[in-house]
Amino acid sequence: LLQQPKRAYSKMSNAEEPYRVCASIDFGSGSIGYCWAYISGDSKTYHMPRWTGQNQDFNRQKVPLPLLVRQKRGTEISVVALGVEAHERYLRERKQDRNLFLFDNVKMKLYREHEDYFSILGLGRNASDEDINRAYSLLARKYDPEKYSDTKEEAEKKFKTIFNAYEMLSDSKTRKAYTDSIDEAPLHTLRIKSVDGRECFALEVVAKCLEYMKDLVVKSVREDIGGFSTRKIRWIVTIPAIWRESAKQFMCCAAKQAGLEERIGQLNLALEPEAGALSVIDERKRILSPGTRYLVVDAGAGTIDITSQQILNLNGDVKELFKVTGNANGSNKITNIFLEMLEDVLGSDFKYWSRTYMDEFFDLKHQFNRGKDRFDGKYGISLRLSKRFFDIVNSVKPSSERFTYNVEDRELTLSRDQMMTIYEPVIKGICGLVEDQLKCLGQLGGCEYVMMVGGFSQSKPLRDAVLAKSKSIDNSTELLHPANASTSILRGAVLFGLRPEMVQSRIAGYSYAIRYVYDFDPTKDAGREEQAYFLTSKGQRKKSINRLSMFVKAGDRVPYGKTQKLTSYSADDYQKKACISIYKCINQDIQYDDEDGAQFIGKLETKLSGKKLQGEEEIYTYLQYGGTYFTARATLADDEKKQGKQAPGGPPAVNETNDCEIEFVFQ
């Protein structure tokens, strides 16, 4: 994870004028857009642009990506164009201007999908070889396809998953490679490749794109009301709920680098499925009453996020019922399957053509995406081919099993059945997640609605499949979708920014702990003599060891804005500072900071007064979590007592001289 720098607190920070505008930015895998609304007033008017451009065949409220940037050696990146205009300018100017970089699908570079092999075997990451062998033996017997002939297909699938997990974890080398891939390096070092293979730092590219959108928002607001300070805008950036914590933290850092946090608390992150649900609830207040349980399917271009919630009151406040799930079966995967099919049929000639004649390749891809958007599951689509590409197809003379082509019209045609074959693995992957969540909701009394949000949710084949799967589990379940599914997340993010407490509780996906120093216990700490060390406390030399103390456990229901005060004491008579280290753990059984599954995510350091040598100095740690952010702050007890009593409902005012604070994404 990226550790946030210490905040520079201003003495005037508490006297800032209130926010007047709430603005959201949705940096999607397939498109990007913004939305803003005034904070005052009961009825909200959402301000969104209509994107148009030269030769662009769209007039919509989100602009399609890719992204064209310019970076000269040793200078900052600047955004040149978005969407089809980015393609056209790149193709037109790339030979004359080598400083142009065209990026496609930037956001998905931040998504790293890992199968949790430990969870498949029901183990933690500190499992021994004996534990792995025992778990595999039990599960293999349970799901032996020969013993479950009535559900043989399902048993075979489960058995294969179990065997793959065992194969990965039973060998020490592959196990280490797997755990290393999970604990990936911070994403701020990630470099992403442009379409021609050149690289830039991902953080700079994303930050400049967010800054570009920020400038558009500010321009739009100022056109509406004249001069306006950017410090009066509350910014909300949307992120997929299933992203790993490091990717969410990356987006937070990029937003701050883009200038979206000029004052404390100005920036917040909204989880995309939550934002989409808030938008639907706001639109359908008449039919969605307190107590309603529903499933949210956020189907975007890159990822699928699925979460289940319940409405709590007439204000539209909600709580999360089960941990969010998802995968990478967004609409872009359909395009990728189509392109992979062409490469499989046409071979190396297709690969050479796509790299050499980018303008023709971009046009083919653009045509398929338009056809995919219009595909209703009844009729096929046709694509007009360039002469070069048609010659390749004609020379191979492929069978009509995958697609057909017309010599006279120079067209490639995909029938309805051939399109459904391309869609099938994507829809199957989504419906599998829907089925799992609906079965969980069945334990609570069922699911009344399935809400579909995000651009891909407008696909009729996907909607029909999700509805059919829902009806097969609970025939009373109905499908709900907003008036404009592609912008529902933008509108919902604004609602979230106006009142983040609308999501009153979430399910913790991980356990969180603080590392403390304890006296070494030969019984409790057996086998860890090498990790022990000596400290001097009250003039006596003591054998000590580090252990983790959990303050949130995976699966706990965490209310919004929960504040917890922890008291600790200096451990050594002569230490000059206190260091409070915070860890994220995959399960609640982890006791030590060096165990598999314990990941360091940040630390607080505060100077000790030095007035209590050979005596314990008291330190307060304040933890606030339950939203999308986790904030931790440490202060000396003596300093707090000098400032006065704690303010009602939260920690006391910040002591600028010695307090320290870190902030990271809560998951």
Side-chain angles (χ1 to χ4, degrees), residues 582-599:
I582 301 174
Y583 288 78
K584 181 187 78 172
C585 306
I586 63 171
N587 62 60
Q588 55 192 5
D589 300 324
I590 294 174
Q591 299 182 55
Y592 302 96
D593 59 344
D594 60 351
E595 287 187 68
D596 285 344
Q599 182 182 356

Side-chain angles (χ1 to χ4, degrees), residues 36 63 67 121 155 189 211 329-330 423 456 528 550 562 649:
W36 64 271
V63 62
L67 170 69
L121 296 180
T189 62
E211 184 180 346
N329 279 315
Y423 270 72
F456 187 27
R528 299 190 69 85
M550 302 285 176
K562 180 175 180 179

Side-chain angles (χ1 to χ4, degrees), residues 274-323:
E274 289 183 354
L278 294 178
S279 178
V280 176
I281 293 170
D282 188 56
E283 284 186 14
R284 304 294 184 94
K285 289 178 181 177
R286 294 182 179 180
I287 64 171
L288 297 172
S289 57
T292 300
R293 289 181 296 272
Y294 57 88
L295 189 70
V296 186
V297 179
D298 171 24
T303 57
I304 305 297
D305 284 346
I306 299 180
T307 187
S308 50
Q309 297 178 334
Q310 185 174 27
I311 299 175
L312 297 176
N313 52 44
L314 293 173
N315 293 327
D317 296 345
V318 303
K319 69 175 183 180
E320 189 176 58
L321 296 176
F322 297 101
K323 183 182 174 183

Side-chain angles (χ1 to χ4, degrees), residues 438-458:
L438 287 175
K439 286 181 178 178
C440 291
L441 283 169
Q443 300 170 12
L444 301 180
C447 173
E448 296 173 57
Y449 297 100
V450 173
M451 298 180 183
M452 296 197 66
V453 299
F456 187 27
S457 71
Q458 297 176 110

Side-chain angles (χ1 to χ4, degrees), residues 151-402:
T151 56
K152 190 171 182 180
E153 184 179 348
E154 183 179 347
E156 285 178 348
K157 181 180 176 182
K158 186 71 176 177
F159 185 86
K160 184 178 179 181
T161 302
I162 293 165
F163 178 75
N164 289 340
Y166 175 73
E167 193 174 38
M168 176 65 71
L169 300 181
S170 59
D171 183 87
S172 59
K173 290 183 179 179
T174 58
R175 181 179 177 182
K176 184 177 185 305
Y178 169 69
T179 52
D180 288 347
S181 72
I182 294 176
D183 300 328
E184 72 265 6
L187 284 169
H188 71 276
T189 62
L190 176 69
R191 296 177 69 90
I192 54 174
K193 290 184 178 182
S194 63
V195 295
D196 61 358
R198 294 177 297 157
E199 294 183 343
C200 286
F201 280 109
L203 186 63
E204 292 184 38
V205 174
V206 174
K208 281 299 177 181
C209 191
L210 291 174
E211 184 180 346
Y212 180 81
M213 299 305 291
K214 170 198 168 187
D215 292 341
L216 292 177
V217 172
V218 173
K219 181 182 177 183
S220 176
V221 173
R222 286 176 175 167
E223 286 175 351
D224 196 60
I225 59 172
F228 188 82
S229 170
T230 56
R231 296 174 71 86
K232 297 179 184 178
I233 302 177
R234 172 174 285 157
W235 296 100
I236 308 295
V237 175
T238 65
I239 53 173
I242 61 165
W243 262 9
R244 296 175 67 81
E245 205 165 351
S246 53
K248 294 177 181 178
Q249 198 78 13
F250 171 94
M251 190 60 79
C252 175
C253 289
K256 290 182 178 182
Q257 188 168 310
L260 299 183
E261 190 173 64
E262 301 174 83
R263 56 190 275 198
I264 298 168
Q266 190 176 6
L267 171 68
N268 204 350
L269 302 178
L271 303 181
E272 290 169 0
E274 289 183 354
L278 294 178
S279 178
V280 176
I281 293 170
D282 188 56
E283 284 186 14
R284 304 294 184 94
K285 289 178 181 177
R286 294 182 179 180
I287 64 171
L288 297 172
S289 57
T292 300
R293 289 181 296 272
Y294 57 88
L295 189 70
V296 186
V297 179
D298 171 24
T303 57
I304 305 297
D305 284 346
I306 299 180
T307 187
S308 50
Q309 297 178 334
Q310 185 174 27
I311 299 175
L312 297 176
N313 52 44
L314 293 173
N315 293 327
D317 296 345
V318 303
K319 69 175 183 180
E320 189 176 58
L321 296 176
F322 297 101
K323 183 182 174 183
V324 67
T325 61
N327 55 34
N329 279 315
S331 62
N332 284 346
K333 189 166 183 178
I334 294 172
T335 305
N336 293 337
I337 291 172
F338 167 67
L339 296 175
E340 288 167 5
M341 179 265 289
L342 290 180
E343 185 174 343
D344 182 50
V345 172
L346 303 176
S348 59
D349 288 344
F350 173 78
K351 187 178 290 188
Y352 173 80
W353 170 80
S354 64
R355 291 177 178 176
T356 308
Y357 303 102
M358 285 188 183
D359 53 341
E360 298 178 7
F361 174 70
F362 288 157
D363 180 64
L364 179 70
K365 189 175 175 182
H366 183 53
Q367 284 189 67
F368 179 80
N369 285 335
R370 280 186 298 169
K372 177 183 69 178
D373 292 343
R374 295 193 299 265
F375 179 60
D376 60 1
K378 294 181 179 179
Y379 307 100
I381 66 172
S382 295
L383 310 176
R384 180 76 175 173
L385 305 182
S386 68
K387 186 178 185 308
R388 290 188 188 90
F389 186 58
F390 177 78
D391 289 343
I392 294 172
V393 174
N394 200 30
S395 65
V396 174
K397 299 189 185 309
S399 70
S400 59
E401 182 182 352
R402 313 286 283 276

